[in-house]
Amino acid sequence: MKVSAARLCSWRRQYGMDTARLELTELREQNARLERLLAEAELDKGGLRENAKRNGEFGGRSPRRGHAQGRDGLVAMLIGSKISRYDPGCRRARSDLASHFGGAMRRPARPSAVRPTMKAIADQVGVSIKSVSRVLNGEGGTSPETASRILAAAEELGFRRNELARGLRQGSRTDTIGLVLKESSSRFFDSLIRGIEEVAEQHELLVLTAASRTPDREKATLLALSARRVDGLLIVPASFDQSYLRPEQAAGLPLVFIDRPPVGVAADAVLSDGFGGGYAAVAHLLENGHRRIGVIGESASLYTISERMRGYHAAFQTHRLHVDNRLIRLDKEGAAAAKAASDELLDMTDPPTALFTLNNKCTLGAIRSLRERGLNNTRALVGFDDFDTADLLDPPLTIVAPDITAMGRIATERLLARINGDNSGPQVGTLPISITCRGSGEIAPA
């Protein structure tokens, strides 16, 4: 006769398995009664396997190793599973039952993924851990034959050295630097990362890159990288206050800011000449005869935008011309908002004859607006910063931009100087900006 899962559960309820604290004597009595019932049930191997699958484990034993062992494991499971969470006295009772059933109550161990260690290599090769350490760290004192065996064992086991732990033990560098930027999906940041990676590769450094997106995320990311013992931080700030980095800097963490200066902490910075770029772009349009020049950009509270707007006003002032503030559209975040701003400007009764956009996203929005209206060849456009397809447009885009890749290289070299012990005062480097005339900025006013 086969015993169903429902019948087994009924026995558990019938013989007191729901009682929270059972005395050892009661457990033994109930176990004996269950033994008698199971013996009368004439369970075959197939029935046991089927019911055990429904009700739990075989107590760590396979039914293939014998009907009696499988049965004992099932009985032990039924009783022991109810008392494993109770007080120490009940746990001792469970231990007594496990002894009675020859260890059948043990659950199978879960497999765990353990990284191979130097000790594992030493055990396999039959040498000391110190010998393994010397070989893996490139030190002498070990015979070529032994070194070869150690390296072969390390390869076979898939050993990877924990560089962070090694650096902490030695009190030395981790050969990692952190890079935190607002986003990583634009030509600007692609070029910046390329310059940083060029220098990092030359010095065998690993760059840990993270996008901050928001001020809160920026703070959490920078502090997390600091806690992971990077040797220094490169930061394109998204927030307006980095004073929370003072304790990290005081503890010896070098900081270099890129594109925007730090606020609340004294540190190195590598910037571009936003004022010069804004001046060059607007002066170029003014010299081509434009007087009504619309400008579209993000928030003027951003350092880069405010500098470019300073250049815009300075160019008008130099040419002794009046700025029409109705042509200024700031606080436009993203291409869609920039397009809407361009639409507003072009729909004015007296629209601008030229547009100056303060970053790539604003440039894209303006291009879409001009093309929709068929004005791309009759309204001049100069954009700040370059992008991959700018020269393929109709007409090709005139831009003002710094060498962003060079900015990344210079910032990384400055950080390395700090890491290597340069204790001089904070330094600020400013890269020049040049204008590249391709056609859109050379359109004369209609």
Side-chain angles (χ1 to χ4, degrees):
M1 169 179 125
K2 297 183 179 179
V3 178
S4 67
R7 177 63 59 83
L8 288 174
C9 292
S10 173
W11 286 346
R12 293 174 66 182
R13 290 192 298 270
Q14 181 180 353
Y15 293 112
M17 293 297 100
D18 292 328
T19 304
R21 296 184 179 277
L22 300 175
E23 297 293 338
L24 178 59
T25 54
E26 294 178 358
L27 284 170
R28 286 174 173 167
E29 290 175 1
Q30 292 164 4
N31 173 58
R33 295 165 71 184
L34 281 172
E35 283 278 20
R36 289 194 299 272
L37 289 169
L38 285 170
E40 295 171 0
E42 297 179 356
L43 291 170
D44 59 21
K45 293 180 182 179
L48 176 64
R49 185 180 297 111
E50 178 184 352
N51 286 291
K53 284 180 180 178
R54 296 172 182 168
N55 290 280
E57 307 166 8
F58 280 97
R61 296 178 183 267
S62 169
R64 296 176 183 174
R65 297 182 58 185
H67 176 79
Q69 289 180 339
R71 183 198 63 192
D72 288 348
L74 181 60
V75 173
M77 180 271 293
L78 290 173
I79 299 175
S81 63
K82 296 300 294 184
I83 62 173
S84 58
R85 62 170 86 66
Y86 299 149
D87 63 15
C90 289
R91 286 196 290 272
R92 285 194 296 273
R94 187 174 189 274
S95 175
D96 182 80
L97 285 173
S99 176
H100 173 72
F101 289 113
M105 292 176 66
R106 290 178 298 176
R107 294 182 178 271
R110 293 182 178 179
S112 58
V114 179
R115 289 182 179 272
T117 62
M118 289 189 184
K119 183 178 184 304
I121 298 172
D123 291 342
Q124 179 162 321
V125 178
V127 296
S128 67
I129 296 176
K130 181 61 178 175
S131 296
V132 174
S133 177
R134 281 197 296 264
V135 171
L136 296 180
N137 289 315
E139 302 172 4
T142 307
S143 69
E145 180 184 355
T146 301
S148 177
R149 290 167 54 211
I150 289 172
L151 292 174
E155 179 70 20
E156 179 184 344
L157 294 172
F159 175 81
R160 295 293 182 271
R161 187 166 57 189
N162 188 330
E163 296 290 353
L164 176 59
R166 177 171 174 260
L168 292 175
R169 284 194 300 270
Q170 297 178 352
S172 64
R173 291 163 47 173
T174 61
D175 291 331
T176 60
I177 58 176
L179 168 62
V180 176
L181 30 77
K182 185 177 179 181
E183 56 181 311
S184 57
S185 58
S186 70
R187 166 73 176 269
F188 176 90
F189 291 115
D190 287 345
S191 300
L192 181 69
I193 293 171
R194 186 182 309 118
I196 292 169
E197 290 283 2
E198 285 177 7
V199 177
E201 185 176 353
Q202 293 171 7
H203 295 271
E204 298 183 344
L205 298 175
L206 176 66
V207 182
L208 304 178
T209 304
S212 56
R213 295 186 296 277
T214 66
D216 288 342
R217 177 66 178 170
E218 175 186 271
K219 179 179 180 180
T221 301
L222 287 170
L223 294 179
L225 287 171
S226 175
R228 283 159 176 76
R229 298 298 189 95
V230 294
D231 295 329
L233 288 172
L234 295 169
I235 306 164
V236 182
S239 67
F240 300 99
D241 180 19
Q242 294 86 41
S243 59
Y244 56 84
L245 288 174
R246 288 178 191 166
E248 313 304 319
Q249 189 182 49
L253 181 67
L255 310 172
V256 175
F257 287 76
I258 303 174
D259 198 43
R260 300 169 189 173
V263 179
V265 61
D268 296 329
V270 179
L271 313 174
S272 62
D273 184 9
F275 171 83
Y279 185 94
V282 177
H284 180 71
L285 292 170
L286 291 172
E287 289 163 6
N288 282 331
H290 296 279
R291 294 297 179 264
R292 294 184 59 74
I293 302 173
V295 59
I296 305 171
E298 292 182 325
S299 172
S301 62
L302 296 173
Y303 170 82
T304 50
I305 300 301
S306 66
E307 286 295 291
R308 294 165 193 181
M309 285 303 299
R310 278 207 314 122
Y312 173 89
H313 286 282
F316 272 91
Q317 185 176 0
T318 299
H319 288 77
R320 298 182 179 181
L321 295 170
H322 174 69
V323 172
D324 186 348
N325 290 324
R326 294 176 302 168
L327 301 181
I328 297 175
R329 296 290 189 276
L330 299 181
D331 299 312
K332 306 306 175 185
E333 183 75 30
K339 179 184 180 301
S342 180
D343 290 341
E344 290 177 5
L345 291 171
L346 296 173
D347 289 341
M348 292 175 66
T349 304
D350 189 10
T353 60
L355 295 176
F356 174 41
T357 49
L358 303 185
N359 61 21
N360 281 341
K361 292 181 180 180
C362 291
T363 300
L364 292 174
I367 290 171
R368 288 168 183 159
S369 178
L370 290 168
R371 289 176 65 86
E372 279 186 5
R373 287 165 169 72
L375 299 176
N376 48 303
N377 286 295
T378 60
R379 295 290 189 275
L381 173 63
V382 177
F384 213 107
D385 291 334
D386 204 359
F387 55 92
D388 289 335
T389 58
D391 59 335
L392 302 178
L393 298 172
D394 178 27
L397 181 67
T398 295
I399 56 99
V400 286
D403 187 340
I404 304 300
T405 302
M407 181 184 289
R409 285 196 295 263
I410 293 169
T412 309
E413 288 165 355
R414 181 94 287 273
L415 184 66
L416 278 171
R418 293 298 187 188
I419 292 172
N420 291 327
D422 182 351
N423 294 318
S424 59
Q427 300 180 20
V428 177
T430 303
L431 275 69
I433 288 180
S434 60
I435 185 167
T436 302
C437 299
R438 293 175 177 149
S440 70
E442 291 67 60
I443 299 173

